[in-house]
């Protein structure tokens, strides 16, 4: 079963707007939460990651917000650009294991 | 520093055949994980190799097997191919088990007819 639930499946945003992707999990053993960006025909590329002892992490225009009590985390893409058009995956991994569990992905389209 | 490379890029096989996919890990990385990504889905973990030993396995049948070589490159072998095996197969390397960050290769697109 899907251990990480991701929404929405797709979204369209205007250039300069904010893209928000949400993920939820049940396994409280998860302690590492990365986000990957994937372009068509390419493998996923690590974008940004967070540990549960931090509520927010920002790298450039990308911010992860983490809510441990709600078991939810989200990716915000600020000032979205056409080059950000890609599929984004959230993932999670427990400390005792090395297997990444991925969400189903969100296709982001940024319109110029 | 070279990234993760995979070969071949594309492959077409028929049902019942066997296939071998190859992965060269990023320089210095001794841990390799394999994932299957069906169209429109997130990657699913197949197994992981650390220092030539299988270190963990996902919900895949035994006809999915692998190897890791002393130079840390790796192979994924799939026997008795089924139509549902059609997918993008991704290899990811990391610098040891304690390091969380995994870096993915471009994948091999396998089509089973």
């Amino acid at each position: 079963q899907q251990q990480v639930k991701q929404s929405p499946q797709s979204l369209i945003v205007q250039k300069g707007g904010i893209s928000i992707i949400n993920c939820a999990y049940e396994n409280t053993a998860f302690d590492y939460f990365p986000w990957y960006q994937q372009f068509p025909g390419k493998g996923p590329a690590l974008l940004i990651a967070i540990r549960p002892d931090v509520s927010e992490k920002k790298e450039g225009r990308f911010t992860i917000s983490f809510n441990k009590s709600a078991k939810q985390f989200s990716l915000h893409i600020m000032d979205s650009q056409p080059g950000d058009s890609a599929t984004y995956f959230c993932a999670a991994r427990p400390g005792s294991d090395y297997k990444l569990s991925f969400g189903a992905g969100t296709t982001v389209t940024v319109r110029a | 520093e070279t990234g993760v490379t995979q070969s071949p890029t594309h492959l077409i096989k028929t049902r019942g055949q066997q296939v071998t996919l190859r992965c060269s890990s990023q320089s210095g990385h001794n841990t390799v994980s394999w994932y299957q990504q069906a169209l429109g889905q997130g990657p699913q973990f197949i197994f992981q190799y650390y220092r030539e030993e299988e270190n963990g396995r996902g919900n895949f049948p035994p006809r999915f097997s692998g190897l890791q070589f002393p130079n840390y490159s790796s192979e994924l072998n799939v026997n008795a191919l089924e139509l549902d095996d059609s997918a993008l197969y991704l290899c990811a390397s990391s610098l040891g088990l304690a390091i969380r960050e995994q870096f993915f290769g471009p994948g091999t697109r396998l089509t089973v007819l």
Side-chain angles (χ1 to χ4, degrees), chain A residues 87-108:
Chain A
T87 300
Y88 293 81
F89 293 95
C90 60
R93 175 178 141 166
S96 60
D97 197 351
Y98 309 107
K99 175 179 75 174
L100 272 176
S101 294
F102 282 82
T106 297
T107 300
V108 173

Side-chain angles (χ1 to χ4, degrees), chain A residues 48-65:
Chain A
I48 185 173
I50 198 168
R51 304 278 174 99
D53 53 344
V54 175
S55 62
E56 185 173 282
K57 183 174 180 180
K58 186 174 180 176
E59 285 185 7
R61 296 183 293 106
F62 300 91
T63 300
I64 299 179
S65 297

Side-chain angles (χ1 to χ4, degrees), chain A residues 24-109:
Chain A
Y25 65 96
E26 287 299 323
N27 187 347
T28 54
F30 286 151
D31 71 348
Y32 171 69
F33 302 87
W35 284 88
Y36 284 85
Q37 179 190 55
Q38 186 175 30
F39 293 104
K42 304 289 186 185
L46 180 64
L47 198 58
I48 185 173
I50 198 168
R51 304 278 174 99
D53 53 344
V54 175
S55 62
E56 185 173 282
K57 183 174 180 180
K58 186 174 180 176
E59 285 185 7
R61 296 183 293 106
F62 300 91
T63 300
I64 299 179
S65 297
F66 188 85
N67 186 329
K68 188 173 180 178
S69 60
K71 290 184 280 188
Q72 294 175 348
F73 58 111
S74 60
L75 176 71
H76 290 61
I77 307 173
M78 315 299 285
D79 187 26
S80 296
Q81 299 298 311
D84 297 332
S85 296
T87 300
Y88 293 81
F89 293 95
C90 60
R93 175 178 141 166
S96 60
D97 197 351
Y98 309 107
K99 175 179 75 174
L100 272 176
S101 294
F102 282 82
T106 297
T107 300
V108 173
T109 303

Side-chain angles (χ1 to χ4, degrees), chain B:
Chain B
E1 180 181 285
T2 55
V4 179
T5 60
Q6 293 186 243
S7 63
T9 306
H10 296 89
L11 204 52
I12 299 175
K13 291 284 189 179
T14 56
R15 237 179 349 175
Q17 285 189 310
Q18 179 265 340
V19 69
T20 297
L21 311 181
R22 294 179 175 83
C23 169
S24 290
S25 59
Q26 190 164 316
S27 177
H29 287 191
N30 58 14
T31 305
V32 172
S33 302
W34 285 92
Y35 292 80
Q36 180 195 66
Q37 186 178 18
L39 203 60
Q41 299 295 318
Q44 297 290 317
F45 176 78
I46 303 175
F47 43 55
Q48 181 184 74
Y49 278 83
Y50 172 65
R51 292 186 176 178
E52 303 177 59
E53 297 281 335
E54 186 178 295
N55 186 57
R57 191 177 183 94
N59 294 327
F60 281 81
R63 57 190 186 83
F64 286 78
S65 63
L67 280 174
Q68 188 179 32
F69 301 99
N71 66 355
Y72 303 133
S73 66
S74 178
E75 282 183 358
L76 165 65
N77 298 290
V78 187
N79 294 321
L81 283 167
E82 300 177 0
L83 296 178
D84 283 350
D85 295 334
S86 294
L88 181 68
Y89 287 85
L90 296 161
C91 164
S93 74
S94 54
L95 187 61
L97 295 178
I99 306 299
R100 305 303 178 98
E101 289 80 9
Q102 294 186 18
F103 298 90
F104 284 82
T108 293
R109 171 70 63 189
L110 172 65
T111 302
V112 182
L113 302 176

